DNA sequence: TTCCTTGTTGCAAACATTCTCAATAAAGGA
DNA sequence: TCCTTTATTGAGAATGTTTGCAACAAGGAA
């Protein structure tokens, strides 16, 4: 199930104009089952329309993020990743040394995020962020 | 108190060479009391040496991050921020809509990070990351 | 339906960051 | 001290992302 129309309605309600470019971009990221870079979105956009500019892709994705319809995060490969909220909350533990990624289960983080929301009146949903540190392999192989 | 010499020793122990460029860059970020962008580090570098390249600044800062001596995070203004571990752990709640930043107290996050370290054998220290969401002002002013 | 206002787009330039590669120099051994 | 190995540097090109601006077009008003 796609939230595509929900997203468009919410944007319209916020006073944004619905353009053909935005419809195409939102449809792509809403239907895609994974997070994507702006360039990956752009490739799918080209299959549907030949004249949408990469700047419009960036602007539309960032607009979604600012309005809570998507999240962006550092994917670690030099490109920013975008995803809609339907992927659910998750935290990535990214090793600063080897780059390996461990996914924190939803159960482990829910209590923390609820506490944040209670204490700070801050709506964390959707959330998708990374914590940097050292994985056990890299830590155990250190000289000191 | 600066951890400058501790940082240099740790890098030497890890097999890195200590160059004049690295000494200057590490001294700057170790003595600075706040997080800085690469360009801000570069400005201070220029006061001490006229011939260090910005690429070397980026490389040195990233080397510190990869070895657990500093952390990097998205400051929200289009530039990446770097900080040494001495600032202690903190989480920033960044509003996706208005960009306002709320700092989570150390007490509130320590239990969470300890749990992460226990469950995933992942050393989070030093840590400095952001959670994106909607602050109460922006959420309450929404139309639905 | 037509007009008007103003948000949005495409383009190109600007900016932030990373990469390539030849020249340089740190660190250890002789 | 000098030599050798090889990590590191500077310079500039390449890449990823943002911004400025004139032309365009969505959506409401008439």
């Amino acid at each position: 199930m796609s939230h595509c129309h929900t997203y468009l309605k919410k944007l319209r309600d916020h006073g944004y104009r619905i353009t053909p470019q935005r419809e195409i971009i939102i449809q792509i990221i809403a239907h895609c089952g994974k997070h994507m870079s702006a360039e990956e979105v752009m490739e799918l956009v080209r299959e549907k329309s030949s004249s949408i500019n990469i700047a419009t892709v960036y602007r539309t994705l960032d607009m979604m993020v600012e309005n809570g319809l998507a999240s962006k995060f550092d994917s670690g490969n030099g490109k920013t990743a975008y995803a809609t909220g339907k992927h659910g909350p998750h935290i990535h533990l990214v090793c600063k040394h080897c780059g390996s990624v461990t996914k924190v289960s939803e159960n482990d983080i829910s209590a923390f995020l609820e506490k944040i929301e209670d204490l700070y009146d801050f709506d964390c949903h959707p959330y998708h962020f990374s914590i940097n540190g050292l994985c056990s392999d890299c830590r155990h192989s250190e000289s000191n």
Side-chain angles (χ1 to χ4, degrees), chain A residues 6 8 16-17 20 35-37 55 59 81 90 92-93 95 101 109 112 117 120 127 129 134 136 139:
Chain A
T6 309
L8 290 171
Y16 293 97
R17 293 181 183 172
H35 51 75
M36 309 173 81
S37 68
R59 283 187 285 231
H90 48 296
H92 285 164
L93 304 179
C95 180
V101 176
I109 62 178
F112 168 72
E117 290 178 7
Y120 295 91
Y127 29 72
F129 60 91
L134 292 174
S136 58
R139 196 165 67 262

Side-chain angles (χ1 to χ4, degrees), chain A residues 87 89-93 101-105:
Chain A
H87 298 289
H90 48 296
I91 299 178
H92 285 164
L93 304 179
V101 176
T102 306
K103 195 168 171 180
V104 178
S105 80

Side-chain angles (χ1 to χ4, degrees), chain A residues 35 73-77 81 90-105 128-138:
Chain A
H35 51 75
F73 56 96
D74 181 6
S75 67
N77 66 356
H90 48 296
I91 299 178
H92 285 164
L93 304 179
V94 181
C95 180
K96 290 180 288 200
H97 195 67
C98 70
S100 68
V101 176
T102 306
K103 195 168 171 180
V104 178
S105 80
H128 189 149
F129 60 91
S130 301
I131 301 177
N132 298 304
L134 292 174
C135 70
S136 58
D137 286 349
C138 289

Side-chain angles (χ1 to χ4, degrees), chain A residues 54-111:
Chain A
I54 186 75
T56 299
V57 172
Y58 277 108
R59 283 187 285 231
T60 300
L61 293 174
D62 285 337
M63 177 187 64
M64 294 184 75
V65 171
E66 282 167 18
N67 288 276
L69 307 181
S71 53
K72 67 191 273 192
F73 56 96
D74 181 6
S75 67
N77 66 356
K79 298 176 186 174
T80 302
Y82 294 83
T84 54
K86 67 174 178 175
H87 298 289
H90 48 296
I91 299 178
H92 285 164
L93 304 179
V94 181
C95 180
K96 290 180 288 200
H97 195 67
C98 70
S100 68
V101 176
T102 306
K103 195 168 171 180
V104 178
S105 80
E106 187 167 343
N107 284 340
D108 291 337
I109 62 178
S110 61

